[in-house]
Amino acid sequence: MMLTLEHLNAASAADFVALLDGTYEHSPWIAERAAAARPFQSLAHLKHQLARVVREAAPDEQLGLIRAHPELAGKAMVSKSLTAESTNEQSKAGLTDCTHEEFARIQQLNADYNAKFGWPFILAVRGPRGQGLPRAEIIATFARRLAGHPDFERAECLRNIHRIAEVRLNDKFGVVPALGDQVWDWAEALAVHSDPGFKEQGQLTVTYLTEAHRACAAQLRQWMLECGFDEVRIDALSNVVGIYHGTGDKRLLTGSHFDTVRNGGKYDGRLGILVPMACVRELHRQQRRLPFGLEVVGFAEEEGQRFKAAFLGSGALIGRFKPAWLDERDAEGISMREAMLAAGLPATLEAINALQRDPAQYLGFVEVHIEQGPVLNEMDLPLGVVTSINGNVRYLCEVTGMASHAGTTPMDRRRDAAAAVAELILYVEQRAASVPNVVGTVGMLQVPAGSINVIPGRCLFSLDLRATTNAARDALDADVQAELRRICERRGLHWTLTQTESASAAPSDPAWQQRWEAVVAGLGLPVHRMPSGAGHDAMKLHEAMPQAMLFLRGANSGISHNPLESITNDDAQLCVRAFQGLLESL
Ligand SMILES: [Zn+2]
């Protein structure tokens, strides 16, 4: 018999614990403590409360939970003394069918891991889609995590335990996250297309107007037609536009980008196209019309990888396409205009300028995006509501001193350009850390033509400063520049700063942000508000209409712009449900 929330909410405390038996391996204390949080509003609410109990438990209790788990393909599996749940998971992942070599490799990893950390390696082997991870991936993950820091590894084990519990609860409740599975499967199928040089290595790279990029556009168009969009087209920039008409004239605009960085992840951008597609598919199946139309745009370009121009797709919708971009050339010398013509696009400013939308026809813009950071993952929260997209300012900088002999120049007579920049880097770190939601990074650092025995005469570096408000960004900028001046004057050095980018912060529209908050709360989840450290298409649309974003937790500690970027089908399901909730709330 399948478990129901009504049953759980009404059960005695002892029955409650018994009903959840086996969810967390040999650890009934978790259910015991979570019982007080009843009634549970949703399965997501229950899962979050169970995770909260573990997060708030004492460190030795957390360690006890980790140690209550069997080793992967370990002695307990061989002697068939695993719990029924673990047997099911390890056999679904094919661990019971290991080759001799795989088995030996896993035993060695088990021994090394235990020797380093003092607890067994925990991996949710049913995986992000719940179907079981391939053995090769399990072994690769094991080897990668063996190199991790103990603090991180301990937290990662607990997160995997929560994922194990999530899949076990789905089984107990007979729940299949079908909408999340659909989004997950679309993302997987879209990731088949990758640029040459990367595809062969199993890496995902889709840059503007390559063959893989055009294949992605064609695939999205095809799926949108199958979902039941009324109008689907690929526009003059190769954005894929799907419109699902409503009974009223106004439309809600949504979407995100389908291009990727080099060797990127499968969800960055794409999630924001696939989630609303799933919503339209459901509306179409139910033959339902909303009082407003839904316009979903798969933006062709956001990442600025092939040409020195970014946000091409969303920029064009607000009339920000720069004519000079058509003459930008890629690494092979192909101009954007040539690439467009080769892709069968008109490549005229007239056609591109015609993409500009009239804001009066839209209710606003919303965008769903993977968080691309560790915050939600650390808080055991699937969804986060964005308060503002950080504004930024970027510089390429140079400090000039005097290159001289490292042996003969006394310490008090040096003009060391690199030492000055080192001082500044530490200042940027301290200054940014002293204010919430402000970040500063020196990501590029170079001593041109440096030698081991020469005092650095020049040092080139970059500055990337970001904040949730323009005022906070400008204050950080002013302080960093003042400090650079002080350092250089004290050391007798010359400096230059060249601004390469400046983008205003894009605070979420309060009414739209509040709608996201209401749907997250409606799913039984705590509302977590957070800034977006990364730039997104929404910051472009911000210039023309009210906007607000919803973040989805990324697994693997939220890593992004990396092939390890990952989401679960259950989280994708919640994301679709949140989007549906938003549509219903208008
Ligand atoms: Zn993105």
Side-chain angles (χ1 to χ4, degrees):
M1 197 186 71
M2 290 303 171
L3 194 53
T4 64
L5 274 182
E6 292 73 33
H7 194 174
L8 263 189
N9 282 333
S12 70
D15 286 349
F16 176 81
V17 174
L19 288 166
L20 291 179
D21 181 47
T23 305
Y24 283 88
E25 198 92 349
H26 306 298
S27 303
W29 57 271
I30 299 169
E32 276 162 31
R33 291 180 206 174
R38 288 185 291 172
F40 295 112
Q41 195 184 329
S42 62
L43 186 53
H45 184 201
L46 168 64
K47 289 171 180 173
H48 179 74
Q49 287 301 321
L50 291 165
R52 180 191 55 81
V53 167
V54 174
R55 204 172 52 254
E56 291 173 0
D60 61 328
E61 289 174 315
Q62 295 176 344
L63 203 52
L65 171 62
I66 295 173
R67 289 191 173 132
H69 286 72
E71 287 188 328
L72 275 186
K75 290 184 209 79
M77 187 189 86
V78 175
S79 66
K80 301 199 190 314
S81 59
L82 291 175
T83 60
E85 289 84 1
S86 285
T87 303
N88 176 31
E89 287 148 9
Q90 298 214 8
S91 70
K92 267 214 167 87
L95 288 170
T96 41
D97 303 323
C98 281
T99 63
H100 192 72
E101 291 74 26
E102 286 168 336
F103 190 75
R105 174 85 170 116
I106 293 175
Q107 297 324 306
Q108 185 60 50
L109 287 165
N110 273 328
D112 293 349
Y113 188 96
N114 229 313
K116 176 171 175 182
F117 299 109
W119 62 75
F121 172 70
I122 313 285
L123 178 66
V125 292
R126 289 275 295 271
R129 174 67 161 77
Q131 292 171 313
L133 293 172
R135 283 200 297 276
E137 189 175 336
I138 292 173
I139 292 170
T141 304
F142 205 156
R144 173 172 57 82
R145 282 179 43 194
L146 182 57
H149 188 277
D151 293 346
F152 176 83
E153 218 10 63
R154 194 182 154 107
E156 191 64 11
C157 283
L158 291 173
R159 289 192 283 264
N160 273 276
I161 287 170
H162 295 316
R163 174 61 184 163
I164 293 168
E166 172 158 69
V167 175
R168 290 178 179 179
L169 282 169
N170 288 351
D171 289 349
K172 269 184 192 288
F173 279 80
V175 164
V176 177
L179 296 168
D181 284 345
Q182 178 65 72
V183 167
W184 204 93
D185 292 346
W186 273 332
E188 201 68 16
L190 202 58
V192 164
H193 307 292
S194 184
D195 289 348
F198 297 92
K199 188 181 170 72
E200 299 78 1
Q201 301 174 61
Q203 297 180 352
L204 177 63
T205 302
V206 176
T207 56
Y208 190 46
L209 293 182
T210 60
E211 205 173 304
H213 185 272
R214 286 151 66 189
C216 285
Q219 179 63 84
L220 286 170
R221 178 182 171 278
Q222 181 60 34
W223 284 336
M224 283 188 185
L225 288 168
E226 288 165 14
C227 285
F229 281 83
D230 300 298
E231 295 175 38
V232 183
R233 63 172 182 271
I234 296 178
D235 74 15
L237 282 179
S238 204
N239 296 318
V240 187
V241 183
I243 298 164
Y244 188 70
H245 292 304
T247 54
D249 290 337
K250 285 214 172 189
R251 289 182 195 156
L252 174 63
L253 190 61
T254 187
S256 193
H257 60 97
F258 63 87
D259 68 322
T260 74
V261 295
R262 295 191 173 83
N263 197 16
K266 297 169 185 164
Y267 310 97
D268 175 6
R270 295 161 175 218
L271 187 74
I273 309 167
L274 303 176
V275 165
M277 270 169 52
C279 294
V280 167
R281 197 182 71 148
E282 292 309 294
L283 287 168
H284 178 70
R285 275 187 179 174
Q286 298 157 19
Q287 301 197 307
R288 278 193 60 210
R289 293 286 166 180
L290 298 166
F292 52 91
L294 187 60
E295 182 171 333
V296 182
V297 185
F299 292 112
E301 205 286 337
E302 188 257 16
E303 302 280 10
Q305 298 280 300
R306 182 171 175 187
F307 299 100
K308 276 196 219 93
F311 297 96
L312 288 181
S314 47
L317 266 61
I318 57 161
R320 295 281 189 281
F321 188 91
K322 292 192 184 127
W325 285 343
L326 287 174
D327 299 312
E328 280 288 345
R329 292 187 181 272
D330 69 5
E332 264 125 61
I334 300 168
S335 72
M336 191 185 291
R337 182 182 286 104
E338 288 160 357
M340 284 177 169
L341 289 171
L345 302 176
T348 64
L349 284 175
E350 193 186 12
I352 294 167
N353 291 339
L355 302 181
Q356 186 172 355
R357 302 299 199 267
D358 172 12
Q361 294 179 343
Y362 292 92
L363 298 170
F365 179 79
V366 291
E367 181 175 358
V368 164
H369 205 284
I370 187 167
E371 181 203 339
Q372 302 185 279
V375 176
L376 293 173
N377 197 51
E378 271 171 19
M379 298 178 78
D380 299 314
L381 284 172
L383 301 170
V385 178
V386 176
T387 52
S388 179
I389 304 168
N390 278 354
N392 70 7
V393 60
R394 289 182 180 164
Y395 298 97
L396 288 176
C397 322
E398 177 170 357
V399 171
T400 316
M402 176 64 74
S404 57
H405 197 293
T408 59
T409 317
M411 295 310 288
D412 61 354
R413 290 180 179 75
R414 295 180 174 215
R415 300 200 187 281
D416 186 329
V421 177
E423 266 195 69
L424 185 76
I425 293 173
L426 291 177
Y427 176 78
V428 169
E429 185 179 52
Q430 287 161 14
R431 170 61 179 78
S434 70
V435 181
N437 301 325
V438 163
V439 289
T441 306
V442 174
M444 286 151 63
L445 184 62
Q446 199 194 350
V447 176
S451 296
I452 195 166
N453 56 356
V454 176
I455 295 161
R458 283 171 73 210
C459 186
L460 307 178
F461 65 102
S462 62
L463 270 175
D464 176 305
L465 309 174
R466 309 188 194 206
T468 45
T469 64
N470 288 346
R473 175 200 61 179
D474 295 345
L476 173 66
D477 186 8
D479 284 357
V480 168
Q481 290 203 41
E483 182 65 14
L484 177 61
R485 188 181 322 115
R486 267 195 297 275
I487 293 168
C488 288
E489 282 170 358
R490 173 162 45 77
R491 290 172 170 269
L493 307 170
H494 179 73
W495 77 98
T496 59
L497 289 180
T498 309
Q499 193 181 96
T500 57
E501 195 181 314
S502 167
S504 288
S508 300
D509 176 77
W512 281 99
Q513 182 187 326
Q514 203 278 326
R515 289 184 188 111
W516 279 130
E517 292 173 5
V519 296
V520 170
L523 291 169
L525 292 166
V527 175
H528 179 68
R529 300 170 186 89
M530 60 192 301
S532 169
H536 295 293
D537 291 301
M539 70 196 287
K540 287 286 150 193
L541 275 304
H542 179 83
E543 296 177 36
M545 57 185 83
Q547 62 78 25
M549 292 184 71
L550 181 72
F551 272 169
L552 183 71
R553 157 172 65 187
N556 290 327
S557 187
I559 194 163
S560 187
H561 285 185
N562 186 303
L564 290 173
E565 183 185 275
S566 177
I567 63 168
T568 66
N569 55 348
D570 284 276
D571 283 2
Q573 173 86 10
L574 286 169
C575 203
V576 176
R577 297 268 311 281
F579 206 103
Q580 288 176 321
L582 184 85
L583 295 176
E584 298 299 334
S585 73
L586 295 177

